[in-house]
Amino acid sequence: MSDPKQNSSNGTNEPEAAKRKGEAYFTDQGMWGFVHRSFTKSMGFTEEDIAKPVIGICNTFSELNKCHSHFNELVDYVKRGVWQAGGLPMEFPTISIGEPYVKPTTMLLRNLMAMDTEEMLKAHPLDGVVLIGGCDKTVPAQLMAAASANVPAIVLTGGPMLNGRLNGRSLGACTDCYQFTLEHKAGNITDEELSTAENAICRSDGHCMVMGTASTMASIAEAIGMALPGCAAIPAPDSRRRHIAERTGKQIVSLVQNNIRPRDIMTEQALENAIRVTMASGGSTNAIIHLVAIAGRLGMKLPLEKFDEISAETPFILNLRPSGKYQMEEYFEAGGVPALMKELESMLHGDCLTVTGKTVTENLVGARVLDRDVIYPVDQPLDRQGGIAVLRGNLSPNGALIKQTAVSPHLKKHRGKAVVFESPADLERRIDDPELDVDETSVLVLKNAGPKGAPAMPEIGQLPIPKKLLRQGVRDMVRISDARISGTSYGALIVHVAPEAAIGGPLALVQSGDEIELDIAERRLNLLVDDAELARRRESWQAPAPFYDRGYGLLYIDRVLQADQGCDFDFLLPKELRGQV
């Protein structure tokens, strides 16, 4: 049953567009107002309740998403804050996507979650919304939806897990997941020791506790102004996570009352603040794709050059794994994102509006760094440049990314011969072949793992070290792909090569034995093969068969943009940008 009068762009009755959306639904004296009131009262809400601002609470709880397992409790605290501030909280679900479970990759479903969230916001009588996310793709999907729907919104992230503990050592998911499985593969730890580690690494609710994608996107939600200061780093089981949930519920009512919307907050300058915080934090390479997609929803083009420009002038100051020593628990104790932003304050756009109703500068008045071994001074940084570098050359004309702070020093400038794998299946089949022609100077190359190729650009860019090299003590090599990597990954991993191999990008033309040159300082990635030979190879190149022939998967392959364009669907961009992609 639907109301035929609900046909305007913002979902309100045209004659009552000046009213709050919820007010228009519930004060209509016609048949549909009767229906709205009657059905809502049947759930226990009163006449007094439905006169309040209607606050949606987007609950992405799912037992298929470990990172969101505690969200039902958080919702209760958000509701308490909404009620206290004079709002009417109404909880609703959307798709929930968890990294450990979804195959072939959560990236396939980020755009679907963004569409789901946007349409829920537009279709219902919501005056404002609290977006509760945590796992890697959920927060960017919600920010994309908020940018498109432009309903007053605030983000509440679920918080990181407590540090894993084993034999007096702190463990971090999933940086140590790679390390334990790598050493097990090398024969250095037993099955029993691996099982013990499995039981020790994830010991509480929450998302990954290193500066992976989840922590990066939580930090971005704060830095861009869409989450309350201090939200990102509070551990999930800490009582202060409940406190900030209640405060978030109160604040969304204030945003509605003051008509502060996402596009008032997520400006070009706010995006630059988010990029700077990401670079200073050694944040995930995935943040680049997500920020480009968010910018696109706002009607802005965000070129990779902007990321490289900000990275080059932003010191790396956060001593967190996988690029440093500590984890999110210590970051929280050191002051969290507000403390890091305070250290960067002279480099930020301080006049940007935030969900507090105040500017960045006003929010940072009381912030201070509480542990200098976690957050370094900008004039004594861990590294003079930010965490991520953009590489260009004839192998990546539209750009490729590397987390330079997590690269072994001897590989930051490297030249080696390619060992090529034509697909993820080819990689799995041959990587541990004792006859594989590979040594520690080789460059491992994976093709057809990009947005259209894999499909949906899975996090497989941390190509495994061949077993025979592991046994020789090799723990890092230059590895190149059009795939992504987890933010928890480490090593000389070049990812997001654009254009991807599946659409005929230069990566598709690489052959085993070709020499490849990497120079991070010069931002250079080149295939040392002459143009005539590459032209000859292109004549015989054939595109791989598409992975899907129906359904959402086919829609994804047909309409997804390349990595440097944010991997959104072309039809979800504002009209003014569609002709430019």
Side-chain angles (χ1 to χ4, degrees), residues 317-332:
I317 60 173
L318 184 60
N319 194 12
L320 257 60
R321 303 177 74 197
S323 298
K325 177 181 178 182
Y326 297 107
Q327 301 186 149
M328 291 297 287
E329 196 171 337
E330 290 84 6
Y331 188 23
F332 171 60

Side-chain angles (χ1 to χ4, degrees), residues 14 17 57 70 72 83 260 424 482 495 514:
E14 292 288 0
I57 303 175
H70 58 303
N72 286 337
W83 282 119
I260 297 174
D482 44 13
V495 290
D514 290 346

Side-chain angles (χ1 to χ4, degrees), residues 206-342:
H207 60 68
C208 291
M209 66 291 265
V210 300
M211 188 48 72
T213 305
S215 296
T216 300
M217 292 310 304
S219 300
I220 283 172
E222 230 183 284
I224 209 170
M226 287 294 291
L228 291 178
C231 181
I234 304 170
D238 193 300
S239 61
R240 286 163 286 191
R241 176 63 54 188
R242 300 184 184 103
H243 299 166
I244 204 163
E246 182 180 301
R247 286 169 46 213
T248 298
K250 291 179 180 178
Q251 192 59 32
I252 185 58
V253 178
S254 176
L255 290 171
V256 170
Q257 292 169 340
N258 290 285
N259 196 28
I260 297 174
R261 297 172 181 262
R263 292 181 197 171
D264 300 321
I265 295 169
M266 292 193 286
T267 62
E268 182 179 350
Q269 291 73 31
L271 284 164
E272 291 182 359
N273 285 345
I275 296 170
R276 198 171 300 281
V277 166
T278 300
M279 296 306 173
S281 305
S284 170
T285 50
N286 289 307
I288 280 70
I289 283 179
H290 299 320
L291 282 167
V292 171
I294 293 164
R297 294 298 189 94
L298 294 164
M300 303 178 215
K301 294 188 74 174
L302 187 54
L304 293 186
E305 284 77 10
K306 176 59 69 175
F307 292 92
D308 208 36
E309 170 191 319
I310 293 175
S311 181
E313 63 185 25
T314 304
F316 169 48
I317 60 173
L318 184 60
N319 194 12
L320 257 60
R321 303 177 74 197
S323 298
K325 177 181 178 182
Y326 297 107
Q327 301 186 149
M328 291 297 287
E329 196 171 337
E330 290 84 6
Y331 188 23
F332 171 60
E333 293 167 357
V337 174
L340 182 130
M341 291 180 71
K342 186 69 174 180

Side-chain angles (χ1 to χ4, degrees), residues 75-255:
V75 166
D76 289 340
Y77 285 92
V78 173
K79 286 181 178 178
R80 187 160 73 179
V82 172
W83 282 119
Q84 290 173 357
L88 169 61
M90 301 193 79
E91 178 185 347
F92 67 93
T94 65
I95 185 176
S96 181
I97 45 182
E99 293 295 316
Y101 303 102
V102 174
K103 301 293 184 282
T105 169
T106 55
M107 195 63 186
L108 182 69
L109 301 177
R110 183 203 66 178
N111 296 348
L112 183 61
M113 182 176 178
M115 293 168 69
D116 183 359
T117 307
E118 176 186 348
E119 297 307 324
M120 290 293 285
L121 298 186
K122 288 172 15 182
H124 291 91
L126 302 179
D127 298 309
V129 64
V130 178
L131 300 165
I132 308 182
C135 199
D136 295 13
K137 308 305 177 297
T138 61
V139 174
Q142 291 175 330
L143 288 172
M144 290 161 67
S148 294
N150 204 32
V151 172
I154 190 170
V155 171
L156 173 67
T157 51
M161 289 183 273
L162 297 173
N163 291 345
R165 298 293 296 171
L166 182 63
N167 299 326
R169 170 188 168 195
S170 285
L171 302 180
C174 252
T175 299
D176 284 310
C177 304
Y178 296 110
Q179 291 184 348
F180 279 116
T181 53
L182 197 68
E183 296 306 324
H184 181 258
K185 179 180 174 181
N188 294 330
I189 64 174
T190 66
D191 292 351
E192 183 179 4
E193 288 170 328
L194 187 67
S195 180
T196 299
E198 289 172 7
N199 294 330
I201 197 166
C202 296
R203 66 185 185 96
S204 79
D205 291 332
H207 60 68
C208 291
M209 66 291 265
V210 300
M211 188 48 72
T213 305
S215 296
T216 300
M217 292 310 304
S219 300
I220 283 172
E222 230 183 284
I224 209 170
M226 287 294 291
L228 291 178
C231 181
I234 304 170
D238 193 300
S239 61
R240 286 163 286 191
R241 176 63 54 188
R242 300 184 184 103
H243 299 166
I244 204 163
E246 182 180 301
R247 286 169 46 213
T248 298
K250 291 179 180 178
Q251 192 59 32
I252 185 58
V253 178
S254 176
L255 290 171

